[in-house]
Amino acid sequence: MVSYIDAIAAPKKNNGQVKLHGPEGFAGMRKAGQLTARCLDELVSRVQPGTTTAAIDKFVFEFGMDHGAVPATLNYRGYTHSCCTSLNHVVCHGFPSTKPLREGDIVNIDVTYVLDGWHGDSSRMYPVGQVKRAAQRLMEVTHESLMRGIAAVKPGARTGAIGEAIQRYAESERCSVVRDFCGHGLGQLFHDVPNILHYGRAHEGIELREGMIFTIEPMINLGKPHVKVLSDGWTAVTRDRSLTAQYEHSVGVTADGCEIFTLSPAGLFAPGLDV
């Protein structure tokens, strides 16, 4: 059974206890989340045909260094890059490469900075030039799925309410929800409890309480939900090679809803979409 503990008294490890953060934790998450959001804003003008994801990765590293932060993914469990760049049918954890982006591609860029010990975790979809309507629609559905999941966050609700809101909307739009990956607790740890499934029923999961901090990051496919991980041990792709998309925010449960720590300062969280 999951137990809850004041984050101040909790050990800095994932011991299965859900940490409840106070004002200090929320302040730390705001700073880290806003730095990540600013980096992702800067990438909007940089994601163009001919750009390489390796160049994007280099920018993410340098931007963090310039602002006193380190990328959480760099050397995390053997991962050797400063961000994840997932292109077209890559669901998540795609490696940056020297292959140029092409007109019509869509790419998810996932950045997590550690600033003063706190993790700001967010990802966005970026269209590369003009994209096909199917890709545009998938990004719209995925963004709306995320926002509906966030709208379900409030004290007393259960984590299943987040998943139900996402699944119900995505499947009503004839898309599918990836089951193999989920959102996660966040704060002074990169990955903590609870897991946030992007499917389910409102009465399932643990109770949300004020002070909880976690990510919501639905991965939505145009085709079937099934994925496979490639031989590199990281890159996850759709089994049917259908297009996939993902958006991610870090949020904290408040007395009457939630606070989004990774809102775009420039209003660019969904570049290329009219939202």
Side-chain angles (χ1 to χ4, degrees):
M1 182 175 180
V2 173
S3 61
Y4 301 80
I5 186 171
D6 189 314
I8 295 175
K12 290 185 174 65
K13 63 179 181 179
N14 185 342
N15 62 353
Q17 293 178 303
V18 177
K19 299 172 180 64
L20 302 179
H21 299 268
E24 181 182 347
F26 273 57
M29 288 299 295
R30 283 187 204 107
K31 287 179 62 178
Q34 280 303 287
L35 183 63
T36 296
R38 285 167 53 200
C39 174
L40 293 172
D41 282 354
E42 290 287 336
L43 291 176
V44 173
S45 62
R46 289 171 166 79
V47 177
Q48 301 289 342
T51 300
T52 68
T53 49
I56 291 169
D57 186 66
K58 182 174 184 288
F59 173 81
V60 170
F61 176 78
E62 293 175 347
F63 185 91
M65 293 294 102
D66 289 344
H67 292 86
V70 296
T73 57
L74 188 59
N75 298 320
Y76 178 77
R77 296 183 178 178
Y79 192 82
T80 57
H81 302 281
S82 297
C83 65
C84 299
T85 54
S86 302
L87 189 66
N88 296 329
H89 71 289
V90 178
V91 176
C92 60
H93 305 155
F95 286 4
S97 78
T98 56
K99 183 178 179 180
L101 295 172
R102 298 184 300 177
E103 183 88 14
D105 285 338
I106 59 173
V107 59
N108 175 273
I109 302 176
D110 191 340
V111 175
T112 306
Y113 282 130
V114 187
L115 180 64
D116 299 330
W118 297 92
H119 291 72
D121 190 359
S122 184
S123 80
R124 304 179 193 173
M125 295 302 300
Y126 296 81
V128 182
Q130 295 294 316
V131 302
K132 293 182 178 179
R133 177 55 191 153
Q136 178 87 9
R137 176 177 170 272
L138 174 63
M139 292 191 294
E140 291 170 353
V141 169
T142 306
H143 178 269
E144 179 65 15
S145 296
L146 170 63
M147 300 315 293
R148 291 189 182 215
I150 291 173
V153 176
K154 61 181 179 181
R158 294 190 172 273
T159 54
I162 301 170
E164 181 180 276
I166 291 168
Q167 181 182 11
R168 178 177 294 173
Y169 177 72
E171 292 181 353
S172 75
E173 293 293 325
R174 299 183 180 180
C175 296
S176 63
V177 180
V178 171
R179 265 74 163 171
D180 299 67
F181 302 97
C182 61
H184 52 86
L186 192 68
Q188 292 181 301
L189 293 180
F190 191 3
H191 294 100
D192 205 347
V193 291
N195 288 337
I196 305 296
L197 304 183
H198 303 120
Y199 60 94
R201 299 179 184 275
H203 65 274
E204 297 174 337
I206 68 169
E207 180 184 350
L208 299 177
R209 295 189 182 179
E210 183 178 359
M212 290 172 62
I213 294 174
F214 48 82
T215 69
I216 304 175
E217 46 186 295
M219 288 144 272
I220 307 297
N221 298 346
L222 270 184
K224 295 180 179 180
H226 313 299
V227 308
K228 63 178 179 180
V229 176
L230 301 184
S231 59
D232 60 27
W234 285 97
T235 308
V237 301
T238 54
R239 283 189 173 272
D240 59 7
R241 296 187 66 83
S242 62
L243 282 179
T244 184
Q246 179 188 23
Y247 290 88
E248 175 185 11
H249 271 313
S250 299
V251 305
V253 182
T254 62
D256 57 359
C258 74
E259 177 178 348
I260 303 174
F261 299 120
T262 46
L263 285 174
S264 164
L268 297 174
F269 183 71
L273 301 187
D274 183 16
V275 296

